[in-house]
Amino acid sequence: MSVSPRRTTTRLLCGLGAAGLLLSACGSGGGGGSGSGSDGSFDYLGQTENTTIAATFKSLSTGACKTQNDALPLKTSSSPGGQFDQKLQLLSGQGALSDVSMGAGTPALMQQFIEAKQVQDLEPALQEAGAAEAVLPAAKATLKALYGDQGLYALPTEFNIEGFWYNEEIFTENDVEIPATWDEFVAAAEKLQAAGVQPIAADGKTGWQITRLIGNYIARDLGPDALQKVADGQAKLSDPEYVKAAEAVAALGKLDAFGKSPGSIDYNVAMNAFLTGKAAMMYNGSWALGNYNDETQNKIGVDNIGYLPFPAVTGGAGSIEDVPANVGVPIMFSSSDFEGGVKDWATCIAQNYGDQALAAEGVVSGFTIKQTPADLPPLTKVVQETSAEASNTILWFEALFSSKATTVSQQNAAPLATGQLSPADFMTKVQNAG
């Protein structure tokens, strides 16, 4: 099992991964390379596939952040997502991280940049500018759970809450009440199955929608810090109390709650099954709002979709109020040449990005919103309000795992759901992949 990003000691050894790319932990925190504000521009590096952040920055540069842009003009560039972490490693080794960039895709890699003192702690700057409340408490808690609680090392351009999205009409027609506990949830699945309705649409090919249920069950049953204890070596996934979560999810699979052959279903097929009324529920994140709000995809109607928090486990140490969440695409700021124009930009982004992205792109971020658009779609409003009201969040099952353990977990999700792999064997495989 991987070491927790929150408590990792410096393990850089002046190199990282097979590429052997140097991190400047071997020197000081950054070197004012070509990506720094010292070149007379505010440089942003993002993934080619994500155009939202660059577009929002450009809108801010002529709007709320025009003053900052006049002083330090925005310049954007991109790199393909499949090679993005490698690109960051290369720039890190050269001491040339961009002023602002999309964060590393792997939390552990992000933590290494932080330990190398290449990523800026943004809390002092926000406090100094009177913008400490610009980041939602739940989003801040999620970032600190990922990257360490000694500072705020990224800003949340997205904030995705997760849970079950359900077809209200199917629930009403089959007299299914909204389940508040796991036992009630299982009973609802049994009732739907008996009525000839597939309870849950799930992507069994990649497996994450199934493993998410395991992680959430653990948090509800053993408490929100249960997976941190595994990462810290205080517990093992193969311990009986953790195996219980895999048993609960396997029991759903035994009901065919995910369909007869979940391993053959990918995300798009599962989404189509839900949006055409062939399945009553789908576990997903609020990133799916674009699908739900798209009339060409959504044949059941946006007003017919409800949001259901992951149920409580009776007698469990966790709370149904703890929201499964992720920050989607966080952005990090280089610690090199942060003072001055870059710092001003960071503050302006924290104070204005959320409103701009919500109004122009319909993106729910982890920033405080000054004014909710009047024409905001109903489901988007539900997500925005839930995000604003959340006080505590929990991470997904694999958040603190190594990349190998993540792969083993998700590849074995479908066999767990179909009974080809026992819950104990599943958890042992993931634990041993460490």
Side-chain angles (χ1 to χ4, degrees):
M1 187 51 51
S2 65
V3 179
S4 161
R6 190 184 302 182
R7 297 181 175 86
T8 332
T9 56
T10 302
R11 296 173 286 125
L12 302 179
L13 302 178
C14 299
L16 181 66
L21 299 172
L22 297 182
L23 284 172
S24 65
C26 307
S28 61
S34 62
S36 71
S38 60
D39 72 350
S41 61
F42 177 60
D43 297 338
Y44 165 70
L45 173 66
Q47 293 183 11
T48 306
E49 297 82 356
N50 183 305
T51 58
T52 299
I53 297 175
T56 304
F57 281 174
K58 288 176 182 177
S59 295
L60 290 175
S61 72
T62 58
C65 299
K66 185 178 185 304
T67 299
Q68 289 75 14
N69 189 68
D70 288 344
L72 196 64
L74 172 69
K75 184 169 71 175
T76 67
S77 60
S78 65
S79 181
Q83 296 137 23
F84 194 72
D85 276 8
Q86 186 177 16
K87 174 75 170 181
L88 291 179
Q89 290 171 348
L90 179 62
L91 291 173
S92 168
Q94 298 170 343
L97 287 173
S98 293
D99 298 316
V100 59
S101 60
M102 285 176 57
T106 306
L109 177 57
M110 184 76 169
Q111 178 67 16
Q112 290 182 334
F113 293 154
I114 293 168
E115 289 179 349
K117 301 188 184 304
Q118 293 181 303
V119 177
Q120 182 69 30
D121 175 10
L122 300 167
E123 278 192 313
L126 296 184
Q127 290 171 353
E128 180 184 327
E133 305 303 316
V135 180
L136 294 173
K140 185 179 291 186
T142 304
L143 286 164
K144 290 192 173 187
L146 284 170
Y147 305 140
D149 55 11
Q150 299 305 308
L152 181 66
Y153 293 101
L155 292 178
T157 63
E158 293 180 11
F159 185 60
N160 298 306
I161 62 170
E162 298 180 14
F164 286 100
W165 305 83
Y166 70 98
N167 185 316
E168 294 183 353
E169 186 176 306
I170 288 178
F171 270 46
T172 300
E173 288 177 350
N174 292 280
D175 196 26
V176 175
E177 296 186 1
I178 307 302
T181 68
W182 182 260
D183 290 341
E184 292 173 356
F185 182 83
V186 174
E190 291 174 335
K191 193 170 188 177
L192 290 164
Q193 190 73 286
V197 179
Q198 182 177 323
I200 306 168
D203 172 6
K205 268 193 173 180
T206 59
W208 67 269
Q209 287 178 313
I210 296 173
T211 64
R212 285 292 213 264
L213 308 190
I214 298 173
N216 290 344
Y217 188 100
I218 289 172
R220 295 287 192 255
D221 189 29
L222 304 179
D225 61 344
L227 288 171
Q228 183 67 51
K229 290 179 179 177
V230 174
D232 291 342
Q234 299 173 20
K236 293 182 178 180
L237 293 174
S238 52
D239 292 341
E241 60 270 30
Y242 286 83
V243 173
K244 179 184 173 184
E247 291 172 343
V249 175
L252 275 181
K254 192 173 182 179
L255 295 172
D256 288 335
F258 306 111
K260 291 288 185 182
S261 303
S264 65
I265 303 300
D266 65 19
Y267 182 77
N268 290 333
V269 172
M271 178 67 76
N272 181 260
F274 177 62
L275 292 181
T276 56
K278 295 174 183 176
M281 293 179 281
M282 186 177 189
Y283 185 90
N284 220 335
S286 54
W287 58 78
L289 287 173
N291 304 91
Y292 300 159
N293 290 326
D294 183 353
E295 294 181 359
T296 63
Q297 295 183 59
N298 185 355
K299 304 304 182 183
I300 62 176
V302 68
D303 294 336
N304 190 31
I305 298 178
Y307 170 72
L308 168 64
F310 192 89
V313 173
T314 303
S319 169
I320 198 172
E321 301 300 325
D322 294 339
V323 181
N326 67 77
V327 287
V329 187
I331 52 173
M332 64 180 186
F333 289 77
S334 170
S335 57
S336 176
D337 297 304
F338 179 74
E339 297 299 322
V342 175
K343 181 179 178 180
D344 293 340
W345 255 109
T347 302
C348 189
I349 289 169
Q351 292 176 312
N352 297 285
Y353 188 101
D355 285 272
Q356 179 63 39
L358 185 62
E361 306 283 348
V363 172
V364 177
S365 70
F367 297 107
T368 301
I369 300 300
K370 304 186 192 75
Q371 184 174 0
T372 301
D375 59 349
L376 200 65
L379 271 184
T380 306
K381 188 174 182 180
V382 167
V383 170
Q384 190 267 323
E385 291 175 347
T386 302
S387 301
E389 294 168 2
S391 58
N392 192 39
T393 60
I394 52 177
L395 300 177
W396 62 101
F397 186 49
E398 297 94 356
L400 304 180
F401 292 3
S402 67
S403 58
K404 180 182 177 182
T406 296
T407 299
V408 169
S409 172
Q410 295 178 354
Q411 285 183 344
N412 285 281
L416 172 70
T418 57
Q420 295 171 279
L421 186 66
S422 75
D425 286 346
F426 172 84
M427 295 298 255
T428 299
K429 276 180 175 285
V430 181
Q431 177 68 41
N432 291 343

